[in-house]
């Protein structure tokens, strides 16, 4: 489970960095949705219909937050740190659940041995 969590965090970080690198190119006017560049590795993992929905959401967000576009690099840095903190919180949660599960299993086995 931790591997999947780490892969999801890495994917989110890569997408954030790619989007931050692309935002300054789009400042002022956004290219049509069909002309947006896509990372080559993304086509292997994401359905094109889902990618178009995500792109439409990004267009809407960019229209709402157009004042932030000139400082996309700073925004990317902040988002990268926030993604790292979110990943670390998930890591602590997964390790805590694993520890609780381990303790419960050990307690159950101990009781089973005492009953014999």
């Amino acid at each position: 489970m931790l591997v999947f969590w780490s892969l999801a965090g890495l994917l989110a970080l890569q997408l954030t960095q790619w989007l931050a690198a692309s935002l300054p190119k789009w400042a002022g006017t956004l290219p049509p949705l069909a002309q947006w560049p896509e990372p080559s590795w993304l086509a292997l993992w994401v359905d094109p219909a889902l990618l178009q929905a995500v792109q439409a959401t990004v267009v809407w967000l960019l229209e709402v937050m157009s004042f932030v576009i000139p400082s996309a690099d700073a925004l990317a840095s902040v988002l990268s740190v926030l993604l790292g903190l979110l990943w670390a919180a998930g890591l602590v949660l997964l390790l805590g659940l694993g520890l609780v599960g381990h303790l419960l299993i050990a307690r159950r086995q101990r009781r089973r041995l005492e009953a014999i």
Side-chain angles (χ1 to χ4, degrees):
M1 186 67 165
L2 184 59
V3 171
F4 293 120
W5 179 250
S6 295
L7 287 175
L10 182 62
L11 178 67
L13 182 62
Q14 290 292 323
L15 284 174
T16 302
Q17 291 173 349
W18 167 76
L19 185 61
S22 299
L23 280 178
K25 298 174 195 171
W26 302 336
T29 60
L30 292 173
L33 197 60
Q35 294 179 0
W36 279 25
E38 300 169 0
S40 59
W41 53 267
L42 192 60
L44 298 172
W45 302 99
V46 179
D47 181 37
L50 177 63
L51 187 58
Q52 289 177 350
V54 169
Q55 286 175 336
T57 303
V58 169
V59 167
W60 177 78
L61 283 173
L62 289 176
E63 290 172 355
V64 171
M65 298 177 50
S66 62
F67 64 92
V68 179
I69 290 176
S71 61
D73 291 335
L75 182 63
S77 298
V78 170
L79 287 176
S80 295
V81 170
L82 290 176
L83 284 171
L85 291 173
L86 179 65
W87 175 82
L91 173 71
V92 169
L93 178 68
L94 287 172
L95 288 175
L97 288 173
L99 179 64
V100 168
H102 177 74
L103 292 174
L104 289 174
I105 289 172
R107 182 178 178 193
R108 183 176 179 191
Q109 287 177 348
R110 198 173 333 124
R111 284 187 177 177
R112 187 179 294 159
L113 289 175
E114 289 174 357
I116 297 177

